[in-house]
């Protein structure tokens, strides 16, 4: 599977709170996990206002420092502006899909998508701002019996890892710096 600057990841960026001069290149990420016969994968196009963190909590991408040689903190900048009305770039949508072979009802698919947003919250900070249109879809082949809560844990991890892959696999382009080039 192609991660980084492919498909929906071609135009994906992160760290946009202060506009295009401080944002970074992001991309498309994927991850898959298997437990017994149950498989769960996630494909995520990471186009977020906020910063991205890896599974260990280390910031790997997002808003650049003024000299563009290191990362700054979007969360700190947002909090700094608590008393200011700010017109921020609202063309942000981190969008993804969870794909599984677990047998799920329509209601369970909806709940799984909701729970998997925790993967967004683990990897993107801040997440779900008023300028983000974050969405997750769920698809299943419905071929394997599954413990729903176990699948939800797998899906959340897959989403987190896919976001990390989207940023770590992105390449600098269109005048934007990628994480690998910092």
């Amino acid at each position: 599977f192609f991660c980084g600057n492919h498909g929906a990841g071609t135009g994906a960026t992160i760290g946009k709170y202060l506009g295009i001069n401080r944002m970074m290149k992001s991309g498309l990420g994927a991850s898959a996990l298997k437990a017994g016969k149950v498989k769960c994968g996630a494909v995520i196009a990471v186009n977020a206002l906020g910063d991205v963190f890896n599974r260990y909590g280390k910031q790997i991408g997002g808003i650049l420092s003024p000299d563009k040689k290191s990362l700054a903190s979007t969360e700190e900048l947002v909090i700094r502006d608590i008393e200011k009305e700010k017109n921020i770039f609202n063309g942000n949508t981190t969008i993804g899909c969870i794909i599984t072979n677990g047998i799920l009802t329509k209601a369970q698919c909806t709940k799984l998508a909701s729970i998997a947003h925790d993967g967004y919250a683990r990897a993107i900070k801040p997440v779900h701002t008023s300028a983000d249109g974050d969405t997750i879809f769920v698809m299943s082949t419905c071929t394997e019996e599954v413990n729903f809560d176990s699948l939800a844990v797998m899906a959340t991890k897959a989403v987190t890892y896919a976001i990390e892959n989207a940023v770590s696999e992105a390449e600098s382009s269109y005048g934007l710096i990628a994480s690998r080039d910092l």
Side-chain angles (χ1 to χ4, degrees), residues 40-73:
C40 181
V43 179
I44 311 288
V46 182
N47 191 46
L49 179 77
D51 305 323
V52 173
F53 295 76
N54 68 15
R55 65 191 80 184
Y56 307 108
K58 180 180 185 284
Q59 186 176 353
I60 59 170
I63 198 161
L64 292 164
S65 62
D67 66 3
K68 297 184 181 184
K69 294 185 180 184
S70 62
L71 297 169
S73 169

Side-chain angles (χ1 to χ4, degrees), residues 15-19 49 63 74 77-78 80-81 86 88-89:
K16 297 179 264 195
Y17 184 68
L18 295 177
L49 179 77
I63 198 161
T74 297
L77 292 166
V78 168
R80 175 198 72 187
D81 291 342
K86 188 157 175 73
I88 53 179
F89 180 75

Side-chain angles (χ1 to χ4, degrees), residues 5 26 28 31 66 90 107 128 134-135 142 157 168:
N5 302 27
S26 180
L28 181 68
S31 176
N90 62 7
H128 303 313
D134 302 331
T135 304
C142 289
K157 288 179 85 160
S168 62

